[in-house]
Amino acid sequence: MTKELSEMPVIYIISDALGETAEYVSRAAAAQFSGVRTKIRKIPYVQDEIHIDEIIEEAVKEQAIIVYTLVVKRLRTYLEEKAQELGLDTVDILGPLINILADKTNLAPSYTPNVTHLLDEQYFRKVEAIEFAVKYDDGKDPRGVLLADVVLIGVSRTSKTPLSMYLAHKGIKAANIPLVPEVSPPQELFQISGQKVVGLTLKPDLLNQIRTERLRTLGLGASADYANYQRIVEELEYARGIMRKVSCPVIDATGKAIEETASRILEILYKGDRND
């Protein structure tokens, strides 16, 4: 017989960090019971036995299930003993896996709470770089040119935005500037070293195909100036002139995957290799 909705147990999530992992697992499990709304109470940054006592006192009143990600072994043991005394069910998310890894590696775990965020500075740099790439995409704010680790320049549809986002996931702050004959590039582009700028280009035939398909997707005719072959040749020549003026390396991305072009950009940034 299906239980009434009111009978669905409350889940207490206890963690010495944010408790995101335990919450995700709990919600994934609860989602298997269609139509049931589960009450989840998350208690992060639990650091001592006194706090555990307070939580368990509340959990007993609701006969809650306790799901936890406590790294410190002392606190895990204390929580398990207290919960068992009072007849509460517990689920240890991290403990069993830590124990298995210790057995397999013959190494002693550090038992350091929140260690992933304490050690992973690259995580925060990546988030910052992604926000940067969004803010300074497509020349929206030329001030980003002065703040970027790398500035990508090129005509429309040379993959400047996808490359900026890919590099952002590597922790690289990338701004990008579209080059259009009718619009002068921002002065900031000429105020930075050419070593921080990378020009992107494609063969005219490929760019014509990409733009034609783009127009088709938008429901526009392929005869539009945007996909005109001669116009594309002129744009590419104009862009080449800007790249020469900036004195930056140029990558022909024809036939290259985003990952391959991004790898080439990283080589240029870190090795100073300017030849395509």
Side-chain angles (χ1 to χ4, degrees):
M1 181 180 293
T2 304
K3 292 185 177 182
E4 298 294 330
L5 297 188
S6 60
E7 292 184 57
M8 191 64 181
V10 178
I11 297 176
Y12 274 41
I13 293 170
I14 302 175
S15 176
D16 44 25
L18 289 173
E20 293 173 331
T21 301
E23 182 180 13
Y24 181 84
V25 171
S26 298
R27 292 193 184 281
Q32 298 301 312
F33 301 89
S34 180
V36 175
R37 276 192 267 176
T38 306
K39 181 180 177 183
I40 292 179
R41 180 183 173 193
K42 185 166 68 173
I43 307 100
Y45 301 116
V46 175
Q47 302 293 334
D48 54 49
E49 290 84 352
I50 294 175
H51 199 174
I52 290 175
D53 286 339
E54 294 171 351
I55 296 166
I56 286 185
E57 184 179 345
E58 294 296 320
V60 167
K61 296 176 184 177
E62 300 185 271
Q63 282 300 293
I65 296 171
I66 294 178
V67 179
Y68 65 92
T69 51
L70 294 172
V71 173
V72 178
K73 191 173 182 179
R74 183 190 81 254
L75 296 180
R76 294 207 314 267
T77 301
Y78 186 82
L79 173 60
E80 286 287 353
E81 290 176 351
K82 282 290 183 179
Q84 188 173 358
E85 287 176 13
L86 298 169
L88 294 177
D89 292 317
T90 61
V91 179
D92 182 0
I93 301 293
L94 290 180
L97 183 54
I98 290 175
N99 293 338
I100 291 173
L101 288 172
D103 289 340
K104 293 290 185 182
T105 62
N106 291 319
L107 297 173
S110 66
Y111 296 118
T112 305
N114 209 24
V115 69
T116 53
H117 290 297
L118 288 174
L119 297 180
D120 197 2
E121 293 181 6
Q122 290 184 344
Y123 169 81
F124 296 103
R125 180 169 176 80
K126 181 174 75 171
V127 170
E128 186 179 359
I130 291 171
E131 292 174 348
F132 186 94
V134 172
K135 183 175 182 179
Y136 298 111
D137 180 45
D138 205 32
K140 286 186 290 192
D141 186 344
R143 291 175 297 181
V145 171
L146 303 176
L147 304 171
D149 296 320
V150 64
V151 179
L152 307 180
I153 61 175
V155 302
S156 175
R157 314 311 294 179
T158 48
S159 298
K160 297 184 300 298
T161 295
L163 279 166
S164 294
M165 294 306 300
Y166 186 93
L167 291 169
H169 280 82
K170 300 290 186 181
I172 303 296
K173 293 180 181 178
N176 69 80
I177 301 293
L179 299 180
V180 185
E182 292 78 15
V183 181
S184 298
Q187 286 303 307
E188 287 85 352
L189 184 61
F190 305 101
Q191 296 171 9
I192 62 175
S193 168
Q195 295 178 350
K196 287 182 58 178
V197 182
V198 175
L200 299 170
T201 189
L202 288 175
K203 293 290 188 290
D205 290 345
L206 178 58
L207 193 52
N208 177 253
Q209 292 175 21
I210 293 172
R211 290 190 178 185
T212 299
E213 184 59 34
R214 176 61 174 165
L215 289 175
R216 187 177 293 113
T217 301
L218 296 173
L220 301 174
S223 60
D225 196 40
Y226 180 69
N228 179 275
Y229 187 86
Q230 186 56 42
R231 164 70 182 188
I232 289 173
V233 171
E234 292 171 1
E235 284 187 34
L236 289 170
E237 183 55 37
Y238 167 78
R240 282 281 186 178
I242 297 296
M243 293 169 193
R244 285 192 293 268
K245 186 176 180 180
V246 174
S247 189
C248 68
V250 179
I251 298 175
D252 185 347
T254 303
K256 292 184 175 72
I258 292 293
E259 296 85 350
E260 187 179 354
T261 305
S263 177
R264 186 75 187 92
I265 292 170
L266 292 173
E267 285 179 15
I268 291 169
L269 289 179
Y270 294 132
K271 298 181 182 179
D273 184 355
R274 300 173 63 82
N275 297 316
D276 186 24

